[in-house]
Amino acid sequence: NPEGRSVYKTSLEQAIARGQKRNAVAPGMHAELGYLYLEEGDSTAALQHFQQERVLFPESARFMDRVISQIEPSKAVAGGQN
C-alpha cells in the first residue's frame, strides 16, 4: 500500500543517514532505496543510490552494473571500475 511504502522509504532514508554519520551503511540499503525510487519513476535518484551501493560494496558491482545498465546503458560503470 502507498502509505506503508512511504513509511518504508522514510525508514530507509533515515537508516542510511544514521549509517553515514558512523560510516557504516549496511549492505543493500542504497540498492533497496534505489529500487523504491525506480518504482516511483525517479530514475535519477535510483541511479544515484545504485551507484552509491556499487562504490560502498564493490562485491555488488556486477549486479549493480546490470541493474544500472537496464536503466541507462551509458551509466553502467559511472561509479568507477571495480
Side-chain angles (χ1 to χ4, degrees):
N1 76 40
E3 185 177 311
R5 179 181 214 72
S6 177
V7 169
Y8 181 54
K9 181 179 165 191
T10 300
S11 295
L12 281 173
E13 290 169 337
Q14 291 171 346
I16 288 171
R18 283 191 306 271
Q20 287 172 332
K21 288 179 184 175
R22 298 186 332 251
N23 197 25
V25 176
M29 299 288 275
H30 281 286
E32 183 72 12
L33 186 54
Y35 180 71
L36 291 176
Y37 277 116
L38 188 61
E39 284 189 327
E40 292 176 351
D42 189 346
S43 61
T44 300
L47 282 168
Q48 290 173 345
H49 283 283
F50 292 150
Q51 290 167 346
Q52 189 65 23
E53 182 76 21
R54 186 186 190 286
V55 168
L56 290 174
F57 304 100
E59 64 274 16
S60 73
R62 286 182 78 185
F63 178 68
M64 288 291 98
D65 284 348
R66 193 169 28 189
V67 171
I68 291 166
S69 71
Q70 294 293 317
I71 301 167
E72 197 167 316
S74 65
K75 298 216 176 183
V77 291
Q81 299 274 344
N82 284 330

